[in-house]
Amino acid sequence: MDLIKKIPAYIERIPNGGILMTGLDWVLNNAKASSMWYMLFGLACCAIELMATGASRYDFDRLGMIFRATPRQTDLMIVAGTLTLKMAPRVKLLYEQMPDPKYVIAMGGCTMHGGPFYHDSYSVLKGVDKIIPVDIHVAGCPPRPEALLNGCIALQDLIKGEKVGRQRDRPGLRHIDPSTNLPLLVRPDTGLIRPNQILMPDQLRVLS
Amino acid sequence: MTPGEFAAHLGEQYSEHKFSLDELNEECVLLPLEIVPQCFEFLRDDDATQMDYFDFSTCVDRPPDRLDLVYSMYSTVHKHRAQFKVILDRHNAAVPSVSHLWENANWNEREIYDLYGVFFPGHKDLRRLMMPDDWEGHPLRKDYAHPNLVVRPD
Ligand code: SF4
């Protein structure tokens, strides 16, 4: 009820029309951001940290995040763990089964660039953004629950900036550096990803 | 039974073949490739050995042209354990399946086929176990190369 009481005040503050659309944005974005139901699935050790974040000490519920056991009822996919080449088509299938609007958080070094399996591994997909668009990357091996929560809040901020009827610029699939054929998630300024650092899509560039 | 006693016992049964201990690992009895399934059937059913529990089988790649298949088994009756080794040709590795003797050899053999490329004639369902069905090559061979594999710089 509080929310509905606040809306007229919000509308009044906006001069010269656009009132309905802006108000609708606000309502819809808040609804979306406050109920990001995530898909219950984990791939490796990061999933343990995901479970810890969902459990009572860190508590996803206070962000309105509840796990659902089917992709058809979820808004958010947290890819938590090492994605092997064998699993990759399944993850893509799950992603495609999610209804729009849908978001992806890549959790942990493995999902960003292969992590500890970057070298000397033939079976790990080096970066989930090679197959599905990723909104937020949470670095770490594994990221602490605080980092994951921070990533979820960053995603909420992203959602709150959306406009109704206008497609948000979805992050594309990962760029591959053509000279080395390696995907790069290295920050251009420092060249390093710090543990527990959250990278927004526009920070991800090909290092050249 | 000690490994030496296993070798002697098998020698009595199959006197035309030679059973020795592996020089790299004195715990292992070397089996001749031609009579692998018969040997294992004998070891399972003979009263003195009764190897009724198949632990595991695995493989060791020894380039350039050797591939060792290792079997480990246990007797829940006599409480003894034994390892057996079969030496294969790396370029044409095939050994008769023992999955009809112990059910759990089934997946062990599928795994070895998947990762080392050893064929098991007589296996009912020899598909890959770990890697995707359309995978090419056998990853645990030492000369395996894959485009996805980035070698760690020294
Ligand atoms: S990033 Fe680290 S903790 Fe997470 S799945 Fe990979 S190896 Fe495990």
Side-chain angles (χ1 to χ4, degrees), chain B:
Chain B
M1 269 196 184
T2 61
E5 286 166 349
F6 271 106
H9 192 62
L10 282 165
E12 280 167 30
Q13 177 71 15
Y14 300 100
S15 46
E16 66 277 24
H17 293 280
K18 220 166 84 33
F19 295 89
S20 58
L21 298 185
D22 185 19
E23 72 277 10
L24 294 168
N25 178 0
E26 298 275 306
E27 298 288 311
C28 266
V29 183
L30 286 179
L31 297 184
L33 179 57
E34 315 84 69
I35 54 163
V36 165
Q38 294 94 308
C39 276
F40 283 135
E41 191 157 4
F42 170 72
L43 286 165
R44 188 189 63 168
D45 297 337
D46 185 55
D47 282 340
T49 51
Q50 293 216 23
M51 311 304 283
D52 52 2
Y53 180 73
F54 182 87
D55 247 353
F56 64 89
S57 60
T58 184
C59 197
V60 187
D61 187 17
R62 319 185 81 100
D65 36 41
R66 200 175 136 180
L67 204 63
D68 294 355
L69 204 61
V70 182
Y71 297 87
S72 170
M73 52 199 71
Y74 181 71
S75 166
T76 55
V77 182
H78 298 296
K79 315 277 188 228
H80 55 204
R81 187 180 294 278
Q83 270 91 40
F84 300 95
K85 194 182 257 191
V86 182
I87 296 175
L88 305 175
D89 173 16
R90 193 166 182 275
H91 308 292
N92 188 15
V95 64
S97 169
V98 296
S99 58
H100 59 288
L101 301 175
W102 297 277
E103 269 303 320
N104 61 334
N106 187 325
W107 276 29
N108 277 274
E109 291 179 348
R110 279 179 62 187
E111 183 187 9
I112 295 172
Y113 160 69
D114 186 359
L115 301 178
Y116 290 94
V118 178
F119 287 90
F120 293 91
H123 192 290
K124 287 193 288 298
D125 183 26
L126 197 62
R127 283 178 296 133
R128 286 182 181 275
L129 185 64
M130 311 270 192
M131 307 306 293
D133 286 338
D134 54 355
W135 196 262
E136 280 177 18
H138 303 286
L140 288 195
R141 289 212 178 194
K142 287 200 166 47
D143 53 4
Y144 178 76
H146 187 268
N148 195 25
L149 199 144
V150 182
V151 177
R152 184 184 299 276
D154 288 328

Side-chain angles (χ1 to χ4, degrees), chain A residues 43-47 80-82 107-111 114-117 140-143:
Chain A
L43 299 171
C45 9
C46 271
T82 319
M107 176 183 181
C110 282
T111 56
F117 308 104
C141 180

Side-chain angles (χ1 to χ4, degrees), chain A residues 63-170:
Chain A
L63 300 185
M65 295 174 66
I66 304 170
F67 65 81
R68 306 301 295 171
T70 158
R72 297 182 193 281
Q73 299 172 355
T74 52
D75 314 295
L76 169 63
M77 177 190 245
I78 301 178
V79 187
T82 319
L83 188 59
T84 58
L85 293 176
K86 191 173 180 178
M87 190 68 190
R90 280 95 176 159
V91 167
K92 187 153 176 66
L93 187 70
L94 286 173
Y95 176 77
E96 280 162 4
Q97 288 185 9
M98 288 164 60
D100 264 331
K102 50 191 172 184
Y103 306 92
V104 177
I105 291 182
M107 176 183 181
C110 282
T111 56
M112 297 170 71
H113 46 71
F117 308 104
Y118 182 76
H119 285 122
D120 293 344
S121 168
Y122 50 84
S123 59
V124 173
L125 182 76
K126 287 156 190 172
V128 288
D129 42 6
K130 283 182 178 174
I131 56 165
I132 53 178
V134 175
D135 296 273
I136 302 281
H137 294 260
V138 183
C141 180
R144 284 192 56 86
E146 293 92 331
L148 182 58
L149 282 172
N150 198 0
C152 294
I153 292 168
L155 181 60
Q156 286 188 330
D157 290 346
L158 213 70
I159 294 174
K160 284 178 185 163
E162 286 181 5
K163 290 265 175 282
V164 171
R166 181 136 29 100
Q167 194 80 34
R168 180 168 62 89
D169 287 343
R170 295 201 66 84

